[in-house]
Amino acid sequence: MTFSVRPPISYRALGVGVAPQWLGVIAASFTVVPLGLAVVAGRITDRHGERVVLWGGAGLTGVAALVLLLARPGGGGLVVSSMLRGSGELLSRIGERGVVAAHAWPG
């Protein structure tokens, strides 16, 4: 679902009059912040389990949707929403893969 929201963000940005340079910032914010969060998220998963990370991912994705709905039109709200969505996606993927690894049959 997260990836289905990414293309419309660019169209919304253009629709509200965001400068084309901001499109790159919005797109990059989806991956740059999660890149820095990845190692920390892995350690949290190791210490506290997959469930904590899965709930964190769901929470960040929900907050991202609220920011997208409630923020004033412009680049700032779209960047923050994109950062939160990217971080939520990362946490969800780490948690999901941790669950699969924990419940997979050996061998």
Side-chain angles (χ1 to χ4, degrees):
M1 178 165 159
T2 299
F3 290 110
S4 65
V5 178
R6 286 185 76 187
I9 291 290
S10 299
Y11 293 123
R12 178 177 170 136
L14 292 172
V16 297
V18 170
Q21 296 86 347
W22 275 95
L23 290 176
V25 174
I26 293 168
S29 66
F30 184 84
T31 56
V32 170
V33 172
L35 181 64
L37 179 65
V39 173
V40 174
R43 289 183 181 152
I44 291 171
T45 304
D46 290 342
R47 288 187 186 132
H48 303 290
E50 298 84 10
R51 187 173 291 184
V52 171
V53 178
L54 282 169
W55 279 109
L60 285 178
T61 302
V63 171
L66 287 174
V67 169
L68 189 60
L69 290 171
L70 302 175
R72 293 187 330 205
L78 294 173
V79 168
V80 170
S81 177
S82 187
M83 287 188 314
L84 291 169
R85 281 184 310 106
S87 299
E89 171 71 17
L90 171 81
L91 292 177
S92 295
R93 285 187 184 260
I94 289 174
E96 291 164 1
R97 290 178 182 170
V99 167
V100 169
H103 294 89
W105 291 96

